[in-house]
Amino acid sequence: INTPVAIAPQLTLVTDTSTLMLPESDPYYPWEARFLADPGCHPRYMRAAKWKLPDAKNRIKGTIEWRREFKPELIVPDEVSVEAETGKM
């Protein structure tokens, strides 16, 4: 992953998402953990936030909240087949 050297310490700060995560007892926890463990996740959010740590954390928090509400990994293909047929996906 190509990151500016001066920003590398901030990248390690944004990877600490333990305060944002669901408790391990929650059924959606494994999906959330997998999303946050993706090696490209945190650099992607840092780039999107133009390397501003508070903004990157807010973006990750917003995404986590959206994913908890809509649970995209649990959507059955049959539920979105109409959208897929019309080219929306």
Side-chain angles (χ1 to χ4, degrees):
I1 298 170
N2 194 6
T3 58
V5 176
I7 303 300
Q10 283 190 339
L11 188 58
T12 59
L13 292 174
V14 79
T15 57
D16 179 21
T17 53
S18 58
T19 59
L20 298 174
M21 291 188 65
L22 292 168
E24 288 186 38
S25 60
D26 190 288
Y28 192 65
Y29 174 84
W31 298 104
E32 190 168 288
R34 189 175 87 184
F35 166 73
L36 291 171
D38 176 359
C41 179
H42 300 100
R44 186 178 312 118
Y45 280 86
M46 286 295 287
R47 281 192 305 274
K50 300 194 182 348
W51 304 102
K52 295 177 183 157
L53 181 61
D55 188 25
K57 284 186 173 186
N58 285 335
R59 288 171 182 258
I60 290 173
K61 183 177 182 230
T63 299
I64 288 173
E65 290 168 356
W66 180 89
R67 294 175 75 86
R68 285 178 187 166
E69 182 177 350
F70 294 102
K71 296 179 173 48
E73 298 88 359
L74 303 180
I75 296 174
V76 180
D78 292 340
E79 292 178 10
V80 292
S81 63
V82 173
E83 285 81 3
E85 290 169 4
T86 60
K88 293 180 183 175
M89 296 179 67

